[in-house]
Amino acid sequence: MSLGELVARADARGLAASGLACLDRCLPLLDGDDDVLRPLWAALAADTADTSGPDWAEELARVRAELVGLGGPGGVEGPGGPDGGDEAVLLVRGMLSGAPDDRSVPALRAWADACSAAALRVHRLLDPAADPEGPAPLVVGELRRQTAVLELLAAHGPAGVRPALEASTEGRRVLRAVVSRRARGHDARL
């Protein structure tokens, strides 16, 4: 099944996990603590049918407050340069600001779609092997992880949250390594 079909069939928990996983994998661009999103993951793992619980909105507000003003590690350059104008950083900030406070299916579907596109764009911008002729390796890996998260949630419900988080953590490590290499390259040029 394609990524688009998986998003179209996902329930509220799957959509929230999809958007959250994209944000989690791109977190190195904000230079945020790796565990900052854990409470949101925990809210998704709670075995309840209530998808509008206050935990999600409260934790989302806390995460936004913690990450506000973080512009990413020095030396991460994109089309806008190493400062806060970097397109990749702006895309990640957009994922965070676009997260819905309520976990209604329509709001989550729009957020999951936006996060998917933004995360793929971030990976394309940061891929040193990007080739206009074919898919960039970082983008291929990100697409694979997005699909895996949705498949895990569709197959296992709340029990799929933990393996989805593990897949996301792997992707975050990959992107952190790319960001670190770019920062070292930028420092070497100074």
Side-chain angles (χ1 to χ4, degrees):
M1 199 177 309
S2 74
L3 181 60
E5 291 169 326
L6 287 167
V7 170
R9 293 182 181 197
D11 63 6
R13 182 179 282 114
L15 293 167
S18 177
L20 185 57
C22 289
L23 176 59
D24 199 348
R25 287 188 298 275
C26 294
L27 201 58
L29 288 166
L30 297 183
D31 204 21
D33 179 358
D34 284 352
D35 292 329
V36 70
L37 300 178
R38 287 279 178 162
L40 290 171
W41 283 106
L44 292 181
D47 192 13
T48 176
D50 180 17
T51 59
S52 61
D55 290 35
W56 174 264
E58 289 170 15
E59 290 302 333
L60 186 55
R62 184 192 59 74
V63 167
R64 284 181 176 140
E66 188 169 331
L67 293 177
V68 78
L70 293 180
V76 176
E77 287 191 66
D83 62 5
D86 179 22
E87 182 181 354
V89 172
L90 293 175
L91 286 165
V92 179
R93 286 183 184 158
M95 283 188 238
L96 179 60
S97 66
D101 289 332
D102 75 355
R103 287 172 45 197
S104 69
V105 170
L108 288 171
R109 191 173 319 284
W111 183 55
D113 279 337
C115 286
S116 173
L120 290 167
R121 176 73 179 147
V122 164
H123 284 75
R124 178 88 172 136
L125 287 168
L126 297 178
D127 197 323
D131 177 1
E133 299 294 319
L138 278 179
V139 174
V140 170
E142 173 61 14
L143 188 57
R144 186 182 71 247
R145 287 181 189 94
Q146 287 187 25
T147 302
V149 166
L150 287 162
E151 288 172 345
L152 286 164
L153 271 290
H156 304 290
V161 171
R162 184 164 189 70
L165 173 58
E166 290 168 1
S168 190
T169 300
E170 174 201 352
R172 186 178 347 109
R173 285 186 195 119
V174 169
L175 200 62
R176 188 169 305 284
V178 170
V179 168
S180 178
R181 277 194 302 273
R182 289 175 66 94
R184 284 193 305 272
H186 174 74
D187 290 346
R189 289 192 304 270
L190 293 179

